Amino acid sequence: MFYDTKDLDDGEIFLRLVTKSEGKKDKGWLPAYYFDICSKKGIKLGNCDLRIGHNDKTYIGGNIGYNVDLEHRGNNYAAKACRLLFKLARKHDLGYLYITCDPDNIASYKTCESLGGDFVEIRDIPKDNDMYREDKTKVKIYRFDI
């Protein structure tokens, strides 16, 4: 079940729904929302997504993913988008979320820390995980009680 997302607006940015996915149980993919992060003027600043539920893949890959386009970095747009996604996650009664990042991605883990995430661990990515096939070997894992 997906919820209306028109309220994902903080006055500075809003999340524009691009698509929803029912997930693929055979691959362990959970239902998800995919958004563009947009300025109030509608300029695309980046993108983000929210995966609904918890499994081994969200522990390694996170419930939330985000990317801010290079020319818009340094404005805390990722953190602002995450706060809006936390609001949506609460509608789904998730209770907690994981956000993971490359341990060398300083901007991303500073975003997690600024949002109040609790550092859990740095974990090796399993060889059967899609991220491993993208030459990623470790993730830094943060938990957010929402």
Side-chain angles (χ1 to χ4, degrees):
M1 177 170 139
F2 291 99
Y3 291 99
D4 182 40
T5 60
K6 291 184 177 102
D7 62 338
L8 300 180
D9 185 325
D10 73 359
E12 182 180 355
I13 67 161
F14 68 93
L15 303 184
R16 180 173 49 217
L17 184 64
V18 174
T19 192
K20 299 176 276 195
S21 170
E22 295 292 332
K24 293 184 179 182
K25 288 185 182 184
D26 61 321
K27 292 189 175 196
W29 295 352
L30 296 170
Y33 297 86
Y34 298 89
F35 298 95
D36 285 338
I37 304 168
C38 299
S39 71
K40 283 308 286 181
K41 294 181 180 180
I43 297 167
K44 182 178 177 277
L45 307 170
N47 56 65
C48 61
D49 55 78
L50 174 66
R51 290 172 282 285
I52 305 302
H54 302 289
N55 64 16
D56 292 343
K57 288 193 181 283
T58 56
Y59 185 73
I60 296 296
N63 291 98
I64 289 177
Y66 50 79
N67 180 57
V68 175
D69 297 340
L70 187 59
E71 65 271 21
H72 300 294
R73 292 183 183 167
N75 296 291
N76 297 311
Y77 293 137
K80 292 170 186 175
C82 286
R83 284 187 195 99
L84 294 172
L85 293 175
F86 290 172
K87 180 178 179 178
L88 180 57
R90 282 190 213 74
K91 290 180 185 179
H92 285 279
D93 293 321
L94 289 181
Y96 66 93
L97 299 171
Y98 289 110
I99 299 177
T100 68
C101 63
D102 184 306
D104 296 327
N105 187 334
I106 295 168
S108 192
Y109 72 70
K110 286 195 177 274
T111 294
C112 290
E113 291 169 359
S114 76
L115 289 165
D118 293 320
F119 172 71
V120 178
E121 67 176 322
I122 294 177
R123 172 68 71 94
D124 290 334
I125 297 174
K127 291 181 181 179
D128 65 344
N129 187 288
D130 293 337
M131 292 168 60
Y132 188 87
R133 289 187 282 279
E134 296 169 3
D135 293 326
K136 297 177 183 173
T137 59
K138 294 187 181 298
V139 289
K140 196 169 190 176
I141 300 170
Y142 291 86
R143 179 185 164 119
F144 297 81
D145 291 319
I146 57 162

